[in-house]
Amino acid sequence: MVISAKEMLQEARAGKYAVAQININNLEWTKSVLTVAEELRSPIILGCTQGAGKYMTGYKTVVGMVNGMLESMNITVPVALHLDHGSYEHCYQCIDAGFMSIMFDGSSYPIEENVAKTKELVEVCHKKGISLEAEVGAIGGDEDGVAAQGECADPDECKRIADLGIDFLAAGIGNIHGQYPANWKGLSFETLEAIKEKVGDLPLVLHGGTGIPEDMIKKAISLGVAKINVNTECQLSFAAATRKYIEEGRDLQGKGFDPRKLLLPGAEAIKETVRQKLTLFGSVGKA
Ligand code: 13P
């Protein structure tokens, strides 16, 4: 089924669930995520950071790999490949490479510049049928080299950006990329409600999905969040399973050093993390 990320999130918003954006880093990641989305009949967004794009040798490779897998794995659920935290220049690189969904992270610019660049990108993307996510109020922590202090977005600034015709909005509500510190104060539902009041039915995006308690996730969805991004949690489960394999000496048994065996426990661990997230976000059976 070919539907755009915009339609995916509008359906999620109406159905009171969230679509997961799971970030991909390589072939194993992508294969694991697509396998679970198909198995659970869930729509899915594959997130690619600038760093991951570079690691995989460039955006064209990522587009080629994802399109190839959609065909060879007979994937029938809706899938969108999405640039995560793109700079102005990288947005254009991904548009040229064939991404169907883009995030322009203009949160580090003064608001006037964020508005001007977002406006331009909305026009360019929509002419090509590409969905655009914009950001207001920097998400804290470090997302693959894009670092910022966590802050709560100004609801009036959110409205200015929303009125430009973007398809979904990432607004800081105290969320942080990476693991949450022990003294984290939690999500600011007050801010989320104030933003929702201003932007109406526009689907909202919650970044920093790793480690947010389940009750907060459910409340955020009930207040208009229709996309939740997860990256670190898959990295942690992949690393733990790989560590266990090596510590048990399984790489030294028979042909245990074969990369297809060595990377298998990690790939299976990613699958389990993705299953848990799709179930929690309520997108299972929606495709
Ligand atoms: P985590 O790494 O905290 O899960 O955040 C992912 C994210 O928000 C990607 O944009």
Side-chain angles (χ1 to χ4, degrees):
M1 197 192 334
V2 180
I3 68 164
S4 70
K6 174 188 179 163
E7 286 172 272
M8 245 189 239
L9 297 199
Q10 281 173 344
E11 283 180 18
R13 181 83 178 74
K16 293 244 180 259
Y17 61 93
V19 177
Q21 173 188 311
I22 307 288
N23 280 42
I24 55 170
N25 289 287
N26 60 16
L27 182 142
E28 280 71 24
W29 243 259
T30 313
K31 187 172 154 188
S32 292
V33 178
L34 289 177
T35 302
V36 173
E38 186 70 20
E39 166 195 306
L40 298 184
R41 303 297 317 158
S42 170
I44 196 86
I45 295 175
L46 304 175
C48 177
T49 59
Q50 296 180 175
K54 189 174 171 198
Y55 176 77
M56 290 183 268
T57 74
Y59 296 122
K60 284 213 169 114
T61 308
V62 182
V63 170
M65 176 181 71
V66 170
N67 285 341
M69 281 192 188
L70 294 181
E71 196 181 317
S72 56
M73 293 171 71
N74 295 318
I75 301 296
T76 57
V77 297
V79 177
L81 174 60
H82 177 79
L83 171 65
D84 189 27
H85 292 281
S87 67
Y88 179 75
E89 293 75 18
H90 280 252
C91 285
Y92 279 101
Q93 288 174 24
C94 285
I95 291 167
D96 287 345
F99 275 56
M100 290 312 288
S101 189
I102 301 279
M103 175 190 187
F104 169 54
D105 180 352
S107 63
S108 61
Y109 291 115
I111 184 68
E112 295 306 330
E113 200 172 347
N114 191 359
V115 167
K117 288 191 159 67
T118 303
K119 187 164 184 270
E120 177 191 312
L121 281 160
V122 166
E123 280 166 27
V124 174
C125 286
H126 286 181
K127 268 194 202 127
K128 293 177 182 276
I130 298 172
S131 308
L132 186 78
E133 173 179 345
E135 176 167 335
V136 178
I139 314 295
D142 179 296
E143 182 55 45
D144 214 359
V146 180
Q149 295 296 318
E151 54 185 62
C152 284
D154 174 345
D156 289 316
E157 290 187 359
C158 290
K159 175 144 179 58
R160 278 191 73 187
I161 296 279
D163 285 350
L164 301 173
I166 60 164
D167 301 300
F168 25 105
L169 176 71
I173 55 167
N175 39 333
I176 299 172
H177 290 124
Q179 286 172 294
Y180 285 86
N183 62 354
W184 179 53
K185 293 192 180 62
L187 297 176
S188 168
F189 292 111
E190 213 184 1
T191 308
L192 183 53
E193 278 176 328
I195 294 168
K196 184 172 169 254
E197 185 97 339
K198 297 275 182 185
V199 306
D201 282 339
L202 183 70
L204 299 171
V205 182
L206 182 64
H207 282 246
T210 295
I212 297 179
E214 291 195 13
D215 57 330
M216 286 193 197
I217 293 278
K218 288 192 173 145
K219 188 159 180 195
I221 294 172
S222 77
L223 291 173
V225 165
K227 169 171 172 281
I228 304 177
N229 295 4
V230 176
N231 188 3
T232 306
E233 207 159 324
C234 289
Q235 298 186 5
L236 291 169
S237 46
F238 177 87
T242 307
R243 170 187 291 274
K244 184 165 178 279
Y245 182 87
I246 304 256
E247 282 182 352
E248 287 172 358
R250 288 163 61 195
D251 57 319
L252 303 174
Q253 294 162 15
K255 283 222 169 183
F257 54 84
D258 178 335
R260 284 165 290 184
K261 292 190 173 140
L262 182 68
L263 298 176
L264 190 60
E268 290 297 324
I270 292 172
K271 281 193 200 168
E272 191 44 39
T273 300
V274 176
R275 269 185 211 109
Q276 286 167 13
K277 296 297 154 190
L278 300 188
T279 305
L280 174 61
F281 300 169
S283 67
V284 172
K286 305 289 190 205

